[in-house]
Amino acid sequence: QVQLVESGGGLVQPGGSLRLSCAASGSIRSINDMGWYRQAPGKERELVVRIDNSGRTDYADSVKGRFFISRDYAKNTVYLRMNSLKPEDTAVYYCYADLRSVDDYSYRDYWGQGTQVTVSA
């Protein structure tokens, strides 16, 4: 069993900051990418940012320069620091990991339960 547990969402005023965390645990053999997607009401889920095993990152244009991802490889944990938040950042944020568990024959995506981020005055 593999679990991704997120924390850190909430309500913040425009211009504020939040930090999300996501820890992967369980019978993990190895992890490739980890990252974050988000889904706003009435919209499709979109990639926010991902980080690979080499530390290379891939940010959505809408968050470049405001959001910053980091990863603790020893703890299988990824963090998302979100600065200068805007109302359009309001969404449910989902953590994912492209990993292989001891029961998997190949890598596949695992997802967290999602955490709500609301940016409003």
Side-chain angles (χ1 to χ4, degrees), residues 57-109:
T57 57
D58 180 18
Y59 288 90
D61 288 343
S62 59
V63 306
K64 284 181 181 177
R66 299 188 299 122
F67 289 14
F68 300 94
I69 191 170
S70 59
R71 183 172 168 179
D72 186 328
Y73 293 87
K75 295 182 179 179
N76 292 334
T77 299
V78 66
Y79 305 93
L80 181 64
R81 177 68 179 181
M82 304 184 293
N83 298 326
S84 302
L85 282 160
K86 305 175 181 179
E88 51 263 45
D89 294 317
T90 295
V92 178
Y93 284 70
Y94 296 92
C95 171
Y96 87 95
D98 176 31
L99 66 82
R100 184 182 174 191
S101 76
V102 297
D103 298 319
D104 291 324
Y105 290 103
S106 60
Y107 289 86
R108 67 180 183 94
D109 288 345

Side-chain angles (χ1 to χ4, degrees), residues 11-53:
L11 172 65
V12 64
Q13 292 186 343
S17 297
L18 280 176
R19 184 178 185 247
L20 307 183
S21 300
C22 172
S25 63
S27 304
I28 298 170
R29 189 183 299 271
S30 63
I31 302 177
N32 284 335
D33 295 359
M34 294 186 76
W36 298 87
Y37 278 72
R38 68 185 180 185
Q39 188 166 20
K43 294 187 177 181
E44 294 187 354
R45 191 175 294 191
E46 64 174 358
L47 175 69
V48 177
V49 60
R50 59 186 165 208
I51 182 168
D52 68 13
N53 274 336

